[in-house]
Amino acid sequence: MPTRRIERLNEQLRADLSELIGREVKDPRLSGLVTVTSVDLSPDLRHAKVYISVFGTDDDRTHSLSALRSASGFLRSQVAARLTTKRAPDFQFLLDASIERGDRIMQVIREIEREATVASAPLTATQIELDDDP
């Protein structure tokens, strides 16, 4: 369980990285909308897993992840100037698929609701006639 200090640093890193990626990183491989969803800082403050979500195709995700990995040194130096810790952590960028999973779950729920609505709807005269035909 992370301490309050680590939780605060996680949130600060998430906000700082979001801003830096949106405004400072000028890599053409960053296509689509890139969002930093969360940061998981290690207890020794030396490593941080940065979870990102990319709105776009699988190629967009791959290229954006590659661009962020290439820019990790630049991002680390920029974050070091903003942090109050002795060192800035090394960043490990990972894709966060939770948004896509949530979207897929919502699609399945909508399909089930539609099927339940159709199944519970009263039969019309046309449907009754069709059911009576041998």
Side-chain angles (χ1 to χ4, degrees):
M1 177 122 201
T3 64
R4 285 188 184 172
R5 178 177 186 223
I6 290 178
E7 287 176 1
R8 282 194 318 267
L9 286 171
N10 284 340
E11 185 56 32
Q12 181 181 356
L13 284 170
R14 189 197 61 73
D16 290 346
L17 287 170
S18 292
E19 180 183 342
L20 288 168
I21 290 168
R23 296 184 184 187
E24 302 293 328
V25 178
K26 304 294 184 205
D27 194 315
R29 294 176 291 176
L30 278 177
S31 57
L33 178 65
V34 178
T35 306
V36 178
T37 56
S38 66
V39 176
D40 185 19
L41 191 60
S42 67
D44 64 0
L45 309 179
R46 291 181 183 253
H47 306 283
K49 292 180 182 176
V50 180
Y51 295 94
I52 63 163
S53 177
V54 180
F55 183 74
T57 65
D58 286 337
D59 285 341
D60 291 340
R61 289 181 188 93
T62 304
H63 293 308
S64 295
L65 197 57
S66 176
L68 290 173
R69 288 177 177 157
S70 295
S72 65
F74 168 75
L75 292 170
R76 184 174 186 227
S77 66
Q78 294 297 308
V79 166
R82 298 175 181 210
L83 285 180
T84 58
T85 60
K86 286 183 182 179
R87 295 187 177 110
D90 291 323
F91 298 121
Q92 178 184 8
F93 291 96
L94 304 166
L95 284 175
D96 183 5
S98 63
I99 294 174
E100 288 84 15
R101 269 195 317 269
D103 186 44
R104 178 66 184 134
I105 289 170
M106 290 305 295
Q107 287 176 352
V108 170
I109 290 172
R110 284 188 210 107
E111 288 175 21
I112 292 170
E113 286 175 345
R114 266 183 275 169
E115 290 173 5
T117 303
V118 170
S120 66
L123 294 176
T124 63
T126 309
Q127 291 172 325
I128 294 171
E129 289 174 10
L130 291 176
D131 289 341
D132 290 340
D133 288 340

